[in-house]
Amino acid sequence: MSTKKAFLAALAFLATSAALAAPITVKNNSTSGRSIGLEIKTLSGAWVKSVPSILPGVTDTSNFTQVTIVSIKNNGSDSMCVYVSSAPTLCREQIGGASRQYNHTDGETYVVDKYVDPGCSAAPLGWGTGNICTANTAAASNGASQSLTNAAAGATGTATATCSAGTWSVSAPTCTASLASPVGLFATDGTNASSINTTWGAVAGASSYRLQYRKKGTPGWTDLATPTAASYDWTGVTDESIFEFQVRAESALGSSAWSALDAGNIRPKIAPVFVSQSGIPAKIGTGQSFSYSQIWRNTGSETWSGGPHGTGPDSPGDTSVWGAGFAAFSGSIATGSNTTTSLTATAPTTPGVYQLRRIFWKAGVPYGVASAAASVEVVGPPTCGGVSPSVATTYNANGTVTVSLQGPVSVETAIVKAWGEVSGQDDAKDYPMALNGPNWTATIPVADHLVVGESKINFAARVGNSLFTPVQCASSSVTFQQLPDPVVTLTPTVGSFDAGAGKAGFVAARRDGVFANIKVDLGAFSHLKTDIEFVDPGHADLGVPLNGASAGVDIPARLVESKLVPEVPAWSSQSVIVRVKYADPDAASQNKTWADTISVLVAPSDMQVSATGTVGIPPTVNAQVHAGGSFDTATHGPFLGGIRTIADGAAASGFVAVGSNGEWGASDLDYSRLYRAQLVAVARAVPPEGVTLIKPIEFLSAPFSLPVQLVRSLAATDGTLEEVVRVSWLAPADGGDGFTFDVYRDSTLISSGKSSVELDDIPPVRGQVYSYKVSAKLNTATSPEAQDPGHLPACFAPRVEDALVNGVMQAELVALSRWLQCVGDAVISVAFDGGGAQPVAFQIAAGSDYRHAAIDISGLADGNHTAVFSVGQAGGLLNGDRSQSFSFSINRAGLLPTDVTILHNGKTASDGVLTDSIGRFGIQLQGGSIDFAQPLN
């Protein structure tokens, strides 16, 4: 660089430095007692000043060039504001203990003061297109935010407002149209000759409106105008058609929905309006005529004149109903004027409801809306199809009959006349009929027309209306039935008697009180019910009332419970009035009744019967009738007692009078007939004299059987049999079917369940007397024991041990034996072939068991014979005689042997054989033999 350039540069630098040097003022206005620190930095980046503490109220002023940054430190703990002279009202917050650097501009002054929140005041804010959306904020501190919701009409939106250094800013804005649809759209209807005026309700937030129209009945819409006001006049319209209009609100944000439609039109050329009518009746008679008038108004632009303008029939559009055709107006009728026309109509000949309606005509062409429809009821002369009573027959003298018209036509008033058949028209009465719903009815009391012997009530109906003269239209009648007097039959169920004075008597069962079956005969009226009562003269109930009893059937008649209690003595008498009347109130109105007085005896109370059989010959039964263990003839009445078999009901014993204690006995019992029978004891009540019972009043015991009786004719042999004691007996009953027997010797059972009636016993000791006992069993019952003594003899009686014919068949050899203990002589006799007995006498010597004798039979012829020996014992321990029978043959031709051989012990004997008994020898004969069996001395 040249010296000149260097010099110039130095001058420039000095000039610049001189120009940049400026005072820097920092003032501490803090009232908090806190100091501040200060540092100053130049463009070169060097800190040229550092003041650690500037006390409150102190101002520091410095002069430096090219200062770029001023750093101020808050030495206190509270926030403070730093105000820079370039924005003297803006508080730059500096929190306690912090430093803040400020980009310095020459000439700026810094003032430090107490902290004041630079918040934002409440203010309206807007956002969206054209700031259409608006909302008011509330006052807020610095840095605070608020949510905003649009409050302006015609839009919907939200945003966020933020306070920064006393200024509001808006963020996140949304704003869309939200216009209400216009309401109250109105278009004039024929008010103007060539224009249609439209108006509607203004819409908040709308900047303009879009109005559209179309001809009624067409689909497409056409924009008519976009006014800013809520109305529009459409002018220059010549079309008389009816137009439809719709409108919507619009703004910069969008549009609303379309409004509801409204129709309008210009005033037509011909516009008749029906105003009113008078003189049309609501009801008219067939073929009758009437006059009426109508008023019509001209609202069109054309003036009406007589001739082409008038009214004609409508619905129907001809003269078929009312007969009146086209009727022209008279005079001239300008726009807005009325005209009155007078008309005459004739009702049709057929009754019914008809519509009368007319419409404006011009030259035969209808215009506008027809007159108000008038409904006219056309009625004919009053008639009815019949008069119907509510019943065809009645027997209720106090009842009523409701009479109804059948098929009434054109009836406004109705009267029914009623009279009895007996009295005729002299008895006639008129009864007005009332309309109940669709029916004309009248109620006639039957009693008004009843006389003795009346059988029918007649009716005639007369009808009328306001348009025609009343006429009689129908007649009918009701038969009045005379009910028969009840005919009553009482049939006794237990017993009957003549109570005297023509009064019938009956017996009532104690158990249920029934004394008769009562039957009521009502003749042809058997479908009716009756009430039957049984009372005393004071009308207190003696019998159970029978209400609603059917006719023609037997119904039990019974006394009340209080007359049947056990305290009422048997055969007590009650005088009972039986009264019968019709149960149906209608039938009872004729007062047809039946009554009679009867007498009722109360049978004995239920009794118990007990009975037991006894063992005896014959057996007996002891029985008792009682009530709970006691019996009193005065209370329970007299009784007879008997015994009966259950199987066939046959009498087992005759009836006998029961004692005053209720006891009786039966001893005439046939055990052989009754031993297997089930029996009952029967106590039969004895009614008072003159009382006839349908069947005896009997009370039965529980079934029982006679006890098994002793066996009969028990006998045990008393030494008459040498080998056994024979015990025999008869069954307790003849025949003895079903009995078994147990036999005892003393207390030892020697036979059980035995079915026969004899037993042979060998007792352990001969000569000792034992008691033999026998009991009978039938099923599970056992009789007492019958007993009889018996024994065996101490020894045997002499008896024939053997009898043989000797070898030469001339004598019968007899061997006799006896026990040595038996003493005394024995006498023996013999009889051959049934002939006379001849004694055979011999002595039985002591010391020998056998004796023998030889009986001559030489006089008997050859052939078969029988010898009967009778041995008698005189004295000793034996009782009675014994007999023995032996058969033998004599064949003397057999004694011609051809050879003889002597045998010893069945073999041929050798010579000189000795033997100890002759019985060991035998002789064998060819052609015959002799056998010796007896010992020979």
Side-chain angles (χ1 to χ4, degrees):
M1 179 183 296
S2 65
T3 304
K4 183 178 180 178
K5 289 181 179 179
F7 176 74
L8 290 174
L11 287 176
F13 173 78
L14 291 173
T16 302
S17 299
L20 292 177
I24 299 172
T25 301
V26 178
K27 183 178 181 181
N28 185 356
N29 283 345
S30 173
T31 59
S32 63
R34 297 296 182 181
S35 65
I36 61 172
L38 172 64
E39 289 182 323
I40 299 175
K41 190 176 184 180
T42 63
L43 181 63
S44 64
W47 291 97
V48 295
K49 185 175 183 176
S50 176
V51 180
S53 176
I54 300 175
L55 296 176
V58 176
T59 299
D60 180 89
T61 301
S62 302
N63 289 292
F64 294 101
T65 61
Q66 296 183 333
V67 173
T68 58
I69 295 176
V70 173
S71 175
I72 298 175
K73 181 180 180 183
N74 183 357
N75 290 330
S77 59
D78 297 328
S79 293
M80 64 182 184
C81 278
V82 177
Y83 297 94
V84 182
S85 58
S86 59
T89 62
L90 176 61
C91 173
R92 292 171 171 82
E93 182 182 4
Q94 211 165 320
I95 63 175
S99 296
R100 183 171 181 177
Q101 295 181 353
Y102 301 93
N103 293 322
H104 180 68
T105 301
D106 287 343
E108 286 185 326
T109 300
Y110 301 89
V111 177
V112 178
D113 208 340
K114 65 179 181 180
Y115 177 76
V116 177
D117 185 0
C120 298
S121 301
L125 297 180
W127 69 94
T129 303
N131 281 336
I132 290 179
C133 289
T134 62
N136 290 323
T137 65
S141 61
N142 187 45
S145 296
Q146 295 181 11
S147 295
L148 303 180
T149 299
N150 173 53
T156 300
T158 60
T160 301
T162 303
C163 177
S164 176
T167 301
W168 289 104
S169 61
V170 176
S171 61
T174 63
C175 186
T176 58
S178 179
L179 293 170
S181 178
V183 296
L185 174 61
F186 172 76
T188 56
D189 300 312
T191 304
N192 307 313
S194 61
S195 65
I196 302 174
N197 305 128
T198 56
T199 59
W200 58 87
V203 177
S207 58
S208 64
Y209 301 93
R210 186 171 299 274
L211 179 65
Q212 293 185 333
Y213 76 97
R214 69 181 178 187
K215 188 176 292 188
K216 188 173 183 178
T218 61
W221 291 94
T222 302
D223 285 347
L224 181 60
T226 55
T228 57
S231 64
Y232 180 75
D233 294 336
W234 184 19
T235 60
V237 182
T238 59
D239 192 340
E240 292 184 1
S241 300
I242 296 175
F243 293 91
E244 292 178 325
F245 298 90
Q246 65 178 8
V247 65
R248 74 181 182 189
E250 296 182 345
S251 71
L253 294 175
S255 59
S256 72
W258 290 103
S259 69
L261 303 184
D262 191 52
N265 57 281
I266 64 173
R267 179 185 297 158
K269 184 177 180 179
I270 298 177
V273 175
F274 170 77
V275 178
S276 64
Q277 59 191 6
S278 61
I280 300 176
K283 183 184 295 184
I284 191 70
T286 54
Q288 296 178 349
S289 299
F290 60 93
S291 296
Y292 68 101
S293 63
Q294 289 185 331
I295 299 176
W296 292 82
R297 183 177 182 81
N298 183 359
T299 62
S301 59
E302 179 180 283
T303 299
W304 298 343
S305 61
H309 300 93
T311 61
D314 179 74
S315 184
D318 54 33
T319 62
S320 62
V321 176
W322 299 106
F326 175 74
F329 296 143
S330 61
S332 177
I333 301 96
T335 300
S337 299
N338 293 345
T339 183
T340 301
T341 179
S342 296
L343 301 154
T344 299
T346 301
T349 58
T350 303
V353 177
Y354 296 87
Q355 190 178 73
L356 174 57
R357 194 174 188 184
R358 295 181 70 81
I359 194 167
F360 178 91
W361 279 10
K362 177 185 177 183
V365 177
Y367 288 87
V369 179
S371 65
S375 293
V376 181
E377 181 183 4
V378 178
V379 298
T383 63
C384 71
V387 59
S388 175
S390 56
V391 293
T393 61
T394 183
Y395 43 73
N396 185 3
N398 298 327
T400 59
V401 176
T402 299
V403 178
S404 303
L405 287 183
Q406 298 299 311
V409 177
S410 304
V411 175
E412 294 179 1
T413 61
I415 294 175
V416 62
K417 180 170 66 174
W419 67 94
E421 188 75 7
V422 173
S423 300
Q425 292 284 350
D426 294 340
D427 177 51
K429 291 184 181 180
D430 286 340
Y431 298 90
M433 303 188 81
L435 183 61
N436 296 315
N439 300 318
W440 289 90
T441 62
T443 300
I444 292 91
V446 174
D448 286 359
H449 305 281
L450 279 186
V451 295
V452 176
E454 189 59 81
S455 61
K456 186 166 69 171
I457 301 174
N458 301 292
F459 308 103
R462 190 167 66 253
V463 295
N465 61 30
S466 59
L467 302 171
F468 295 94
T469 303
V471 295
Q472 180 172 318
C473 64
S475 62
S476 184
S477 64
V478 168
T479 299
F480 184 80
Q481 296 176 316
Q482 294 286 345
L483 297 177
D485 289 326
V487 177
V488 179
T489 303
L490 284 165
T491 304
T493 55
V494 179
S496 61
F497 61 96
D498 184 355
K503 184 164 61 174
F506 299 86
V507 177
R510 179 79 68 151
R511 182 168 299 174
D512 57 11
V514 175
F515 59 85
N517 285 326
I518 186 167
K519 181 191 290 184
V520 181
D521 184 1
L522 300 179
F525 296 89
S526 60
H527 61 284
L528 295 177
K529 308 290 186 181
T530 58
D531 288 341
I532 306 172
E533 60 181 2
F534 309 90
V535 296
D536 62 13
H539 295 283
D541 283 334
L542 295 177
V544 178
L546 302 173
N547 296 321
S550 298
V553 297
D554 284 327
I555 302 174
R558 67 186 76 231
L559 294 180
V560 294
E561 185 67 28
S562 62
K563 303 301 179 183
L564 305 173
V565 295
E567 292 76 16
V568 175
W571 309 113
S572 295
S573 177
Q574 299 287 339
S575 182
V576 180
I577 300 172
V578 183
R579 185 176 291 116
V580 180
K581 64 180 180 178
Y582 284 92
D584 177 49
D586 293 352
S589 67
Q590 294 193 24
N591 296 319
K592 303 292 180 68
T593 61
W594 178 94
D596 196 10
T597 301
I598 63 173
S599 181
V600 180
L601 296 180
V602 182
S605 299
D606 283 350
M607 306 295 286
Q608 296 88 48
V609 179
S610 57
T612 56
T614 62
V615 175
I617 302 177
T620 61
V621 171
N622 296 321
Q624 182 185 27
V625 59
H626 58 90
S630 65
F631 179 82
D632 178 21
T633 304
T635 300
H636 304 120
F639 279 86
L640 298 176
I643 309 298
R644 180 183 298 160
T645 59
I646 292 178
D648 55 7
S653 72
F655 279 96
V656 297
V658 170
S660 60
N661 59 358
E663 296 179 353
W664 80 94
S667 59
D668 55 342
L669 302 177
D670 182 357
Y671 185 72
S672 293
R673 180 170 74 90
L674 302 175
Y675 76 96
R676 303 194 74 168
Q678 285 278 292
L679 305 176
V680 288
V682 181
R684 177 179 293 176
V686 179
E689 185 177 356
V691 174
T692 301
L693 298 177
I694 294 175
K695 63 179 181 179
I697 300 174
E698 295 180 338
F699 304 100
L700 307 181
S701 70
F704 67 95
S705 299
L706 291 176
V708 180
Q709 301 294 306
L710 293 169
V711 298
R712 298 174 296 164
S713 302
L714 174 64
T717 55
D718 300 317
T720 57
L721 298 179
E722 297 175 357
E723 304 293 343
V724 296
V725 174
R726 179 158 294 156
V727 184
S728 60
W729 61 92
L730 295 177
D734 291 344
D737 182 35
F739 287 103
T740 61
F741 307 96
D742 290 344
V743 184
Y744 295 83
R745 182 196 316 115
D746 290 339
S747 60
T748 301
L749 178 65
I750 58 176
S751 180
S752 177
K754 188 175 181 60
S755 58
S756 62
V757 292
E758 184 176 276
L759 173 71
D760 287 344
D761 179 47
I762 303 175
V765 180
R766 299 184 69 88
Q768 180 176 326
V769 178
Y770 296 92
S771 177
Y772 286 89
K773 304 171 186 177
V774 178
S775 62
K777 284 188 177 180
L778 183 63
N779 299 324
T780 59
T782 302
S783 74
E785 296 172 341
Q787 60 184 2
D788 190 58
H791 63 276
L792 286 176
C795 60
F796 288 111
R799 57 187 173 186
V800 177
E801 290 289 341
D802 203 0
L804 296 174
V805 178
N806 64 2
V808 294
M809 299 187 183
Q810 296 298 315
E812 185 169 19
L813 306 180
V814 180
L816 185 70
S817 68
R818 68 177 182 85
W819 282 2
L820 296 179
Q821 295 90 335
C822 297
V823 297
D825 293 333
V827 177
I828 185 170
S829 62
V830 63
F832 292 102
D833 300 327
Q838 51 181 322
V840 179
F842 54 86
Q843 291 292 114
I844 301 176
S848 175
D849 289 338
Y850 293 96
R851 293 292 181 265
H852 71 274
I855 300 170
D856 182 20
I857 59 173
S858 59
L860 297 178
D862 285 0
N864 296 323
H865 299 278
T866 301
V868 178
F869 297 92
S870 296
V871 180
Q873 174 65 46
L877 298 179
L878 296 175
N879 294 317
D881 298 332
R882 287 164 175 74
S883 62
Q884 294 171 269
S885 176
F886 293 90
S887 296
F888 60 93
S889 296
I890 298 176
N891 184 8
R892 294 184 175 89
L895 296 178
L896 301 175
T898 57
D899 189 18
V900 177
T901 302
I902 297 175
L903 303 176
H904 182 260
N905 289 335
K907 297 179 181 180
T908 302
S910 60
D911 293 340
V913 172
L914 297 176
T915 184
D916 56 359
S917 173
I918 192 173
R920 297 183 182 276
F921 287 101
I923 301 175
Q924 181 174 342
L925 302 176
Q926 296 294 326
S929 65
I930 298 174
D931 183 19
F932 294 92
Q934 296 85 6
L936 299 176
N937 290 332

